[in-house]
Amino acid sequence: MLSACATPRLPAPPMLIAQVAPPGFPPNVRFLSSDRDYLVTHLNAAVQHLSAVAAGAPIRILALSGGGAGGAFGAGALYGLTRTGERPTFQVVTGVSAGALIAPFAFLGPSWDAQLKNAFDSHRTDHLLRARPWLGLLFHPGIYRRGPLVELVHRFITPRMIRAIAAQARKGRVLLVATTDLDKQESVVWNMGLIAEHGGPAALKLFSQVLVASASIPGVFPPVLIRVRGDGRKYDEMHVDGGTTLPFFVTSDIADVMPLHLPELKGAQVYVIVNGQLSTYPKTTPETPMAVLSGGFSAALMHAARRALVLSALFARHFGMHFRFTYLPISYPDHGSLDFKFSNMHSLFDYGVRCAEARQLWTTLIQAIDEGQRGATQMPIRSNRCPAAPAGAVSRPQHKRPG
């Protein structure tokens, strides 16, 4: 057991920004979100290309956040939008963590809704958290085994899906997923369409690796080592949950503060699905290491999501884009990001479907701030009122799961 756990990894690339990539893939298959030179070189041309792909219609961008089990809400929201006939075709889809697992289905559109529902509204997630024996915790960098997460990804990321994504990428649509490189302490954005276009077993393997890495919460699941090559040498990069550094992303980190001229973005439509809450009712935290660790991690993610929403809204306003988002209101009886039991996942999925069908999904920053303020000045009230429901609306009881 010790020899199996102590297999040495290759060192990480020595430079923060280096021309390295997985063997057989071009360097532009991914980039650091803080790489200013890359952004200056590529962003303008990329936006012009997207404008041409949109063929006179507004560019539509979908950003999917992390949130663990909360991803069932985002999956349900997309499923519900299909049922209303109001689901846009997105030229760009980005995903982080749980959002990264939804992103391929969101990118491929309604024809893949059956697989989307099967992934997020079924008993397949019941055993996603499989704890290690206590002795194993001494030798592994994760409380839970990686196997169930890998099995879930491999079940749905198939050669057929890779070919379908490659076909859409060749039309000019863009699918991006973020991971966090622990060695660099930076977020890395992967061009999943370009990976899919490579084709073959190598594309399937790297595509799956990136998704598993993006969903691997540090300390909860083990990190994923991704082999890269550059300057005639091989290196191992350690990647974990993209939500560690990016709660979601519409643009690169640096784009929010750079002086850019992008007239093609005027009139573009930005949709953000936050698979979690932006505020929470106070509760007494147990004096245990796990409770304190979990509470601190949740607080950091919640505040990061709020900051990212403000920056994204300001970016959109600056370029004349239409910005809307959805999230789990403070009143929703959320069970936490690590509750993958079917009963919780089904309730979240059903809630997302219902709010989309009621056309009460998309909201604004002002509405969200008002809702948070009301929640902060009253005793906790649990309801399943939709994010954009009128303030005085009375919610129906949540649907019960079948059986």
Side-chain angles (χ1 to χ4, degrees):
M1 181 181 67
L2 289 175
S3 63
C5 297
T7 303
R9 59 168 286 199
L10 296 178
M15 296 175 61
L16 183 63
I17 299 175
Q19 291 296 308
V20 297
F25 290 87
N28 64 340
V29 77
R30 82 321 173 36
F31 63 92
L32 263 66
S33 68
S34 58
D35 187 345
R36 184 180 185 278
D37 289 343
Y38 183 94
L39 190 67
V40 169
T41 303
H42 293 91
L43 184 59
N44 205 20
V47 170
Q48 291 177 9
H49 182 64
L50 288 172
S51 182
V53 171
I59 297 173
R60 295 183 177 93
I61 301 169
L62 173 66
L64 298 154
S65 87
F73 163 64
L78 290 168
Y79 193 87
L81 287 171
T82 296
R83 290 169 64 161
T84 66
E86 297 178 358
R87 179 167 164 182
T89 297
F90 301 102
Q91 280 74 44
V92 181
V93 176
T94 74
V96 173
S97 193
L101 302 182
I102 303 170
F105 302 104
F107 183 73
L108 291 175
S111 62
W112 287 75
D113 274 3
Q115 293 92 328
L116 173 67
K117 188 177 190 301
N118 198 11
F120 288 89
D121 185 26
S122 71
H123 287 281
R124 298 190 188 284
T125 60
D126 272 335
H127 306 292
L128 194 57
L129 299 183
R130 191 180 302 163
R132 298 182 185 280
W134 69 268
L135 184 60
L137 298 178
L138 300 176
F139 306 107
H140 291 86
I143 298 173
Y144 297 101
R145 300 176 187 271
R146 181 190 293 122
L149 177 58
V150 172
E151 290 167 11
L152 182 69
V153 169
H154 283 178
R155 181 172 187 85
F156 295 102
I157 307 304
T158 62
R160 175 173 169 257
M161 174 179 271
I162 296 296
R163 289 192 297 269
I165 290 172
Q168 293 301 314
R170 282 191 284 269
K171 294 179 181 179
R173 297 176 63 218
V174 179
L175 173 61
L176 304 174
V177 164
T179 62
T180 298
D181 186 330
L182 276 187
D183 302 311
K184 297 183 178 70
Q185 304 278 295
E186 293 283 351
S187 49
V188 178
V189 178
W190 297 80
N191 188 328
M192 306 299 278
L194 194 56
I195 293 174
E197 285 188 76
H198 183 279
L204 181 63
K205 177 182 177 181
L206 181 59
F207 198 102
S208 300
Q209 276 186 315
V210 171
L211 292 188
V212 172
S214 187
S216 294
I217 303 169
V220 176
F221 293 110
V224 175
L225 293 179
I226 297 180
R227 178 68 50 85
V228 296
R229 184 192 297 271
D231 297 326
R233 296 187 60 185
K234 295 179 181 178
Y235 304 96
D236 283 340
E237 295 178 336
M238 182 177 284
H239 290 262
V240 296
D241 188 348
T244 306
T245 48
L246 284 177
F248 64 86
F249 64 103
V250 175
T251 63
S252 170
D253 284 350
I254 205 74
D256 293 325
V257 295
M258 281 182 62
L260 299 169
H261 181 64
L262 301 169
E264 295 85 0
L265 289 181
K266 185 174 178 60
Q269 298 177 357
V270 178
Y271 300 81
V272 176
I273 297 179
V274 178
N275 292 302
Q277 295 175 316
L278 299 174
S279 57
T280 185
Y281 290 123
K283 60 183 178 182
T284 302
T285 303
E287 296 183 71
T288 64
M290 183 55 67
V292 172
L293 178 64
S294 176
F297 186 68
S298 296
L301 289 181
M302 188 169 62
H303 283 264
R306 282 165 23 188
R307 288 193 297 271
L309 275 171
V310 171
L311 286 173
S312 298
L314 290 174
F315 181 87
R317 179 185 297 178
H318 179 74
F319 289 103
M321 305 162 75
H322 301 286
F323 181 84
R324 66 204 78 182
F325 75 99
T326 190
Y327 68 112
L328 288 175
I330 187 174
S331 58
Y332 182 83
D334 185 32
H335 292 190
S337 60
L338 295 182
D339 185 355
F340 293 101
K341 293 191 295 291
F342 173 62
S343 56
N344 182 49
M345 299 288 283
H346 176 75
S347 294
L348 283 161
F349 188 92
D350 181 70
Y351 174 73
V353 172
R354 181 173 61 80
C355 291
E357 289 183 326
R359 293 168 175 80
Q360 295 177 347
L361 188 66
W362 304 113
T363 186
T364 66
L365 281 177
I366 296 300
Q367 288 174 304
I369 290 170
D370 288 345
E371 193 266 347
Q373 185 64 29
R374 286 194 301 272
T377 55
Q378 63 188 18
M379 293 297 290
I381 298 175
R382 297 298 182 186
S383 77
N384 61 351
R385 188 170 64 84
C386 293
V394 178
S395 299
R396 304 196 315 253
Q398 283 188 288
H399 295 175
K400 299 297 183 181
R401 66 186 178 93

